[in-house]
Amino acid sequence: MKKTNRFLELLPRILKHEGGFVDHPKDPGGATNFGVTQAVYDSFRRNAKLPIQSVANIKYNEVSSIYKLMYWDAIRGDNLPVGVDYAVLDLAVNSGVHRAIRYLQLACGLKDDGIIGPRTIEAATTLPSGSLVQAIMARRASFVSQLRTFATFGKGWFRRINEVRAVALEDVGVA
């Protein structure tokens, strides 16, 4: 059963992993604040017809709007089962919406076109959620272990993957 206001429940979980302002020289995404890159923030502000400013100055209401519009809505989070929604959202935030949708589709045994449509939603809602979470997280772990920045960020990525997996499975009732 889908919980109401699920996005509002998941946002603090995501932000716990994302932290505050960071501009690590080895991070190819550059400066981020609450996990929002400068490029994403610039795009958001341009679309809102607001002046461009440093991501260091981002406000919580902007962070919430960005995560809702650019990640939650993009993965159709309201249509995904509890637990699967969190696994896919966290992956979208960390590694991109297209990749998150593709990994969900692969976990469902579908063609991975990166477009979340009726077939993906139907499969995600009929297959066992615990199995989907496990498959998505396994593929995610494999992906990050191959990144050139794994030596720098790998320990943190694996901690995050393991925490998200555990909480998503708890949400599913498979803890």
Side-chain angles (χ1 to χ4, degrees):
M1 175 178 271
K2 197 73 184 149
K3 296 179 186 175
T4 57
N5 296 320
R6 182 74 172 154
F7 171 75
L8 295 176
E9 182 181 336
L10 296 179
L11 183 59
R13 292 181 187 178
I14 299 291
L15 295 179
K16 173 188 159 214
H17 290 286
E18 291 298 343
F21 182 77
V22 179
D23 193 5
H24 195 287
K26 291 190 178 179
D27 185 347
T32 64
N33 199 359
F34 299 104
V36 177
T37 65
Q38 184 67 56
V40 166
Y41 190 44
D42 290 350
S43 174
F44 172 78
R45 289 189 62 90
R46 266 194 292 284
N47 289 337
K49 303 202 182 331
L50 296 169
I52 301 302
Q53 65 180 17
S54 170
V55 73
N57 300 321
I58 197 169
K59 303 289 184 236
Y60 183 83
N61 67 323
E62 292 177 305
V63 172
S64 180
S65 293
I66 288 168
Y67 279 104
K68 174 79 167 70
L69 295 169
M70 300 176 83
Y71 299 97
W72 181 252
D73 291 348
I75 64 159
R76 296 186 54 191
D78 287 329
N79 300 108
L80 296 176
V82 170
V84 174
D85 57 359
Y86 179 43
V88 176
L89 176 62
D90 193 76
L91 175 57
V93 166
N94 201 228
S95 297
V97 169
H98 188 76
R99 183 179 319 281
I101 293 169
R102 285 183 46 244
Y103 287 8
L104 170 63
Q105 291 170 324
L106 289 167
C108 291
L110 301 172
K111 180 180 184 292
D112 61 324
D113 62 6
I115 301 166
I116 193 158
R119 284 190 200 116
T120 304
I121 297 299
E122 181 182 356
T125 56
T126 57
L127 293 168
S129 294
S131 298
L132 292 178
V133 168
Q134 291 286 22
I136 291 164
M137 301 314 275
R139 192 172 297 278
R140 181 176 178 182
S142 176
F143 167 70
V144 300
S145 68
Q146 297 172 32
L147 294 174
R148 62 179 167 79
T149 53
F150 184 78
T152 303
F153 301 112
K155 184 176 178 182
W157 288 335
F158 270 98
R159 182 176 50 251
R160 179 176 183 159
I161 289 167
N162 290 329
E163 288 176 11
V164 170
R165 176 189 292 117
V167 173
L169 289 173
E170 190 175 297
D171 285 349
V172 168
V174 184

